[in-house]
Amino acid sequence: MASTFAGIEIGKRSLMAHTQQISTAGHNISNADTEGYSRQRVQIKTMDPLYRADLSRAETPGQLGQGSCIESITRLRDELLDQRIVAQGNQESYWETREKYYSMIEDIYNEPDEISVRGNMDKYWQGWQELSMYPESQAARQAIVTRGESLAESIQQRFKSLSGVGSLINGDIEGSVRQVNDIAKQIASINSEIVKSKAVGDNPNDLMDRRDVLVEKLSKLANITSDNRDSDEFMVHLDGHILVQGHLARGFDVEPVTDNSGYSKVVWNDTGADAHISGGSLGALIELRDVDIRNEIQSLNTMTMNFADLVNDVHRNAVGANNVTGIDFFSQQPFVTDASGNYDRNGDGTNDSSYVFRFTGTNRLNPQEKVGLDGEMVLSGKNGNVTVPYHATDTIEEVIARINDSDGEVKAYLDRNSRLVLKATTAANAENPDFVIRHVEDSGLFLTGYSGILSMTGPEGAYDFARADAVSSLRQ
């Protein structure tokens, strides 16, 4: 005969199970506004029955029902949707970050017309037009000087504005790196607590909600993916590298870039290797600073350098009202003050490089004349050096065009005195300096005795900027 207390026990279990359901419903309602909270549900199951293996089994059922009990309390969350949110979250923050900073860049270019680079350049050319009609007018001459100063000031102001945006982005990069490190440590700490809870048979729903919120926030900073291969080890990957593994978290450091820009680069703090981060607000910031802002500054510098060179080339060959010639209109301040271009590139106190912007040959050349020589020039390029051949049947003009059409970061032209000029451009690789000729070599005689730039042919007479006093390779 069953115990008289069996019915009481069944009722007690039912009350306890349904009381837990009511408590869980209250927990759900009270956390309706909690960030990242997932609604929880109590799963009810039948209590394991009692089995009576006695002599009465043949006449009565052998199992006695024991009512209901709680099987588990689970989160109602779509894990597939969570993975999609994490995978796509970085794209939204990436474009939001770019939009914010591009609005700032647009404000720089949409400056008032009367003080813009374009407006001042138009006024500058108008001044030359007026002087051409009244060359004896001192007022017209002074107007050109004043307008040239205004143009230079507007270019400097645009450069300072772009550099300021770059510095602001750099500060945001350093702040974002600290955020990534902090969130990664929090995820690793929560992973440890989750493992402990699961070890005693609990479902740490609230802890897992907190972890999901942190993972979603991290996905807005960088392109990450999460991986829960088993119940004991939750992993976060960033661009193919492990960022969090269980209770362990890696992180990043920022180190100054050795290019005098004042910027910082992101490296892994355990290996010191450069970190390549794409997507998310951090990836957008790095791309904005190292690509967009850098390209804008390079374009501005290229325009300014070529504009000043062309004006000076014409002005230098003209004769002033006082019969003086050979004077530049724009004064250019060299980045390196050493007469030979020697520069301490690695900052150890010893000159180890040569920074030279322009080579000018000593011989006058006729652009339509055939060179009558065969050989190959080796010039610094975007990714290593590039080879530019020349043949005996080529004219000077054709050789110059071949140099300029190559992928080399050295361009050529004939100045107003018909001398060959080799000029450096901006560098595609951020590790290389802008407007510095890095390598010039000639297997033949075009750059040596013909144009008068190098003193010797072959590798032994090559100019290479990666050493001090490299100008000794040039023809004096």
Side-chain angles (χ1 to χ4, degrees), residues 30 134 247 252 332 452-453:
S30 64
Y134 307 102
H247 66 284
F252 302 102
Q332 297 174 311
I453 291 180

Side-chain angles (χ1 to χ4, degrees), residues 294-306 357 380-382 407-411 423-430 432-438:
R294 183 170 182 263
N295 287 343
E296 294 299 323
I297 291 178
Q298 284 183 330
S299 297
L300 180 63
N301 287 338
T302 300
M303 183 276 294
T304 305
M305 296 286 285
N306 290 327
F357 168 57
S380 50
K382 298 177 181 179
D407 288 333
E409 293 182 339
V410 176
K411 301 305 177 183
K423 183 190 296 186
T425 66
T426 55
N429 191 333
N432 294 324
D434 291 334
F435 304 111
V436 172
I437 296 178
R438 300 192 303 276

Side-chain angles (χ1 to χ4, degrees), residues 304-314 316 330 332 357-358 413 423:
T304 305
M305 296 286 285
N306 290 327
F307 173 75
D309 274 354
L310 292 172
V311 172
N312 285 343
D313 193 24
V314 175
R316 194 183 303 116
F330 290 106
Q332 297 174 311
F357 168 57
R358 181 194 303 108
Y413 66 94
K423 183 190 296 186

